[in-house]
Amino acid sequence: MKLSINMAMTLDGKVVRPDGRWYGLTSSEDKTQMDVYRSQSDAILIGKNSILNDNPIVKIRAIPNALNPRPVILVRKGTLPPDKHVFEESDHIPLIICTKSNLKEIKTSLENKAEIFALDSDDIDPKKVTGILKRKGYKNVLLEGGPKLNFSFLEADLVDRIYLTIVPFVIGKTGLPGIADRNSELPGFDQNRWTLKDHFAKGNEIFLVYEKP
């Protein structure tokens, strides 16, 4: 199974607006390219905060007759409102992976909206998540989570590819995250040089594809 991260980043390396959300910073070209990446995937990994903050539409709209990947939602604590786009507009019933501590809460609010799988722990272990997806037969998984979720999968050495869009804005505010964010660095970050496999421009944006050596 191959796992790819898809993120957009400003010229000064930020992946969120000052209010912590992403709305309005990408163009129609980026949305079309995102659908290309989605059309090459059979599952999309999404974090709880991404759904709460951005309420993404996960259906492919730019490519006619494309097969939509299945949403896989990671929820470590609490639950989600059932009226989010991911539950209303997906072609597949979403898969929610939660912990043993919030299983009851999720079942109460989302049992008729999703397939629910609880890990035998109080945290979301990326290796256990990828194990579940492998057993379900998924071959290409696209991670569309936030910086903290990206960090956890990079730290576990589970990411094979990074799709990165450079968008033409400079925010300037300190303290905003990059594509991976935590209080510590990734182990051996300067020994693991990613390989640039592709690059192209559309409009004012640059699209980069990096792969693990």
Side-chain angles (χ1 to χ4, degrees), residues 75-154:
V75 185
R76 184 170 64 90
K77 291 183 178 179
T79 186
L80 285 165
D83 60 350
K84 294 298 183 181
H85 290 312
V86 70
F87 300 115
E88 301 294 334
E89 301 175 1
S90 302
D91 286 346
H92 310 273
I93 182 171
L95 170 64
I96 292 179
I97 299 177
C98 63
T99 67
K100 62 182 182 181
S101 59
N102 65 338
L103 174 60
K104 184 177 179 180
E105 187 176 0
I106 287 178
K107 278 189 171 182
T108 299
S109 59
L110 297 171
E111 191 163 27
N112 295 323
K113 293 281 189 176
E115 178 187 355
I116 301 167
F117 187 99
L119 300 175
D120 58 350
S121 62
D122 292 321
D123 204 355
I124 299 290
D125 184 336
K127 290 185 177 180
K128 290 182 179 179
V129 170
T130 54
I132 292 167
L133 298 180
K134 286 178 182 178
R135 289 195 296 274
K136 286 185 171 292
Y138 297 118
K139 303 295 185 184
N140 291 287
V141 177
L142 191 62
L143 175 53
E144 291 187 1
K148 288 182 171 57
L149 196 60
N150 290 345
F151 187 101
S152 67
F153 279 84
L154 286 163

Side-chain angles (χ1 to χ4, degrees), residues 5 7 12 14-15 29 31 41 56 64 70 76 84 91 101 106-107 111-112 164 167 182 188 195 197 208-209:
I5 286 175
M7 292 291 281
D12 56 338
K14 311 299 196 303
V15 299
E29 286 87 359
K31 291 180 174 66
S41 308
R70 185 184 191 187
R76 184 170 64 90
K84 294 298 183 181
D91 286 346
S101 59
I106 287 178
K107 278 189 171 182
E111 191 163 27
N112 295 323
L164 186 62
V167 298
R182 198 173 286 176
T195 301
K197 302 298 289 188
L208 306 173
V209 181

